[in-house]
């Protein structure tokens, strides 16, 4: 009788131990996952900010794939969120550019006018044009322009 | 003549930008190559032009509920520090060097885009 009781007690104890172990493991995993996420986010921010400031744009080109790959955003949400990330970063960078006195004011007005009109029509065209063709054209132009700027 | 070209290039950059492809990466080389703007000036113009445009698109995205705000402040705060550093660097580097850096980055982005398209196509072909 006594031995049986003892065995039962031990079984119970070991089960309890296992449960505790499980809870502890889970807690640890969750914590490290959260910390990992934080580190990824901060690193992404540094990278996007630096590129966006140094190159005066193009933060979105990096931010969208980063969000998709490391934080597992879906495509549309990644696009929208990346704009809301880049907006404050560009604002700060724009201040630095303006105060350094490197921007001619008259062309600024004309180009901005064109960009706003083009942006609206681009958003509308997006539904009509095939995405793959547009991105191939875009990539080719980028490569040619890049070569031209380097050489 | 140059005014209409400025508007035209703005339009081209805006169209690509509105499609969510980073139109600024096109606008800057267009301004530098064809209108002889300095690299720094065209980068600044691009920043401000796209700030104006993204104001509209942000509004639309918010309305559609596509913007995820959870935890975003971490990215923004760390980004702001580096954005200031990056733009200070851009304004103090000589334009010829900045132009070369920009060109190399364009090449890398372009090749990356083509690589991604090819990868996607191969995946589709397997299915």
């Amino acid at each position: 009788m006594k031995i049986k009781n003892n065995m039962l007690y031990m079984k119970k104890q070991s089960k309890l131990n296992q449960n505790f172990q499980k809870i502890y493991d889970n807690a640890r995993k969750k914590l490290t996952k959260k910390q990992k996420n934080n580190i990824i986010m901060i690193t992404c921010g540094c990278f996007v900010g630096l590129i966006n400031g140094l190159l005066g744009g193009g933060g979105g080109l990096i931010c969208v794939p980063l969000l998709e790959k490391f934080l597992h955003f879906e495509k549309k949400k990644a696009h929208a969120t990346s704009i809301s990330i880049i907006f404050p970063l560009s604002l700060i960078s724009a201040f630095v550019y303006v105060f350094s006195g490197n921007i001619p004011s008259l062309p600024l007005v004309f180009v901005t006018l064109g960009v706003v009109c083009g942006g609206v029509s681009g958003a509308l065209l997006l539904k009509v044009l095939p995405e793959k063709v547009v991105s191939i054209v875009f990539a080719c132009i980028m490569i040619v322009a890049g070569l031209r700027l380097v050489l | 003549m140059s005014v209409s070209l400025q508007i035209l290039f703005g339009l081209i950059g805006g169209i690509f930008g509105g499609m969510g492809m980073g139109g600024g990466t096109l606008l800057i080389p267009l301004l530098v190559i064809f209108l002889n703007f300095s690299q720094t000036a065209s980068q600044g113009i691009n920043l401000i032009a796209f700030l104006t445009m993204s104001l509209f698109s942000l509004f639309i995205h918010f309305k559609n509920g596509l913007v995820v705000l959870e935890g975003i402040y971490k990215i923004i705060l760390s980004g702001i520090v580096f954005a200031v550093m990056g733009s200070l660097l851009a304004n103090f580097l000589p334009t010829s060097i900045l132009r070369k850096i920009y060109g190399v980055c364009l090449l890398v982005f372009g090749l990356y885009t083509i690589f991604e398209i090819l990868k996607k196509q191969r995946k589709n072909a397997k299915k």
Side-chain angles (χ1 to χ4, degrees):
Chain A
M1 194 63 188
K2 226 182 183 179
I3 297 169
K4 216 178 176 183
N5 257 350
N6 224 347
M7 289 241 306
L8 261 174
Y9 176 74
M10 285 210 351
K11 248 187 196 169
K12 238 187 194 170
Q13 201 68 0
S14 74
K15 223 178 196 176
L16 247 150
N17 254 344
Q18 268 178 8
N19 276 346
F20 269 125
Q21 191 68 38
K22 234 185 218 167
I23 291 170
Y24 176 70
D25 276 348
N26 270 346
R28 221 176 114 187
K29 226 184 246 167
K30 254 182 199 162
L31 201 72
T32 46
K33 212 176 181 185
K34 211 177 169 190
Q35 282 172 337
K36 228 189 204 168
N37 234 7
N38 278 348
I39 292 171
I40 290 175
M41 278 179 150
I42 290 173
T43 320
C44 282
C46 297
F47 203 59
V48 172
L50 188 67
I51 295 284
N52 201 52
L54 180 63
L55 304 183
L61 277 181
I62 312 165
C63 194
V64 173
L66 282 180
L67 285 180
E68 278 178 349
K69 269 193 188 137
F70 294 117
L71 298 173
H72 310 293
F73 277 53
E74 55 176 298
K75 202 174 177 190
K76 270 191 178 167
K77 278 190 176 167
H79 265 285
T81 309
S82 86
I83 296 178
S84 64
I85 291 171
I86 289 161
F87 190 79
L89 301 186
S90 298
L91 199 65
I92 297 268
S93 303
F95 270 118
V96 176
Y97 276 85
V98 169
F99 283 119
S100 305
N102 280 324
I103 302 179
S105 52
L106 208 59
L108 173 66
V109 176
F110 293 125
V111 175
T112 305
L113 187 73
V115 166
V116 171
C117 296
V120 174
S121 43
L124 295 176
L125 278 174
L126 187 58
K127 289 168 192 161
V128 188
L129 293 175
E131 200 191 326
K132 207 169 100 189
V133 177
V134 178
S135 42
I136 289 176
V137 171
F138 183 59
C140 291
I141 299 176
M142 276 208 284
I143 291 173
V144 172
L147 278 177
R148 177 74 203 271
L149 286 180
V150 172
L151 299 177
Chain B
M1 184 61 196
S2 83
V3 169
S4 54
L5 270 183
Q6 282 163 17
I7 295 179
L8 178 71
F9 289 159
L11 268 174
I12 295 172
I15 286 175
F16 278 101
M19 296 170 107
M21 303 182 121
T25 37
L26 281 186
L27 178 61
I28 293 171
L30 281 176
L31 289 180
V32 171
I33 293 170
F34 295 106
L35 291 178
N36 282 324
F37 278 47
S38 82
Q39 181 72 30
T40 325
S42 44
Q43 286 187 16
I45 289 176
N46 172 61
L47 268 177
I48 294 175
F50 276 87
L51 271 178
T52 321
M53 197 188 90
S54 57
L55 211 60
F56 292 95
S57 47
L58 249 189
F59 180 70
I60 294 169
H61 284 314
F62 259 114
K63 221 170 147 194
N64 292 337
L66 284 170
V67 181
V68 180
L69 287 175
E70 192 189 316
I72 287 305
Y73 68 93
K74 289 171 206 151
I75 305 182
I76 294 177
L77 284 183
S78 60
I80 280 178
V81 178
F82 277 78
V84 172
M85 277 168 30
S87 35
L88 280 176
L89 193 64
N91 279 291
F92 285 111
L93 277 178
T95 42
S96 59
I97 293 178
L98 193 60
R99 189 175 151 159
K100 291 219 163 109
I101 295 175
Y102 193 87
V104 171
C105 288
L106 264 191
L107 275 177
V108 173
F109 285 148
L111 290 175
Y112 174 78
T113 311
I114 286 188
F115 181 71
E116 283 285 294
I117 292 168
L118 287 180
K119 212 165 114 189
K120 222 183 251 170
Q121 211 161 26
R122 212 174 282 164
K123 236 185 213 170
N124 284 345
K126 263 185 190 170
K127 273 177 194 170

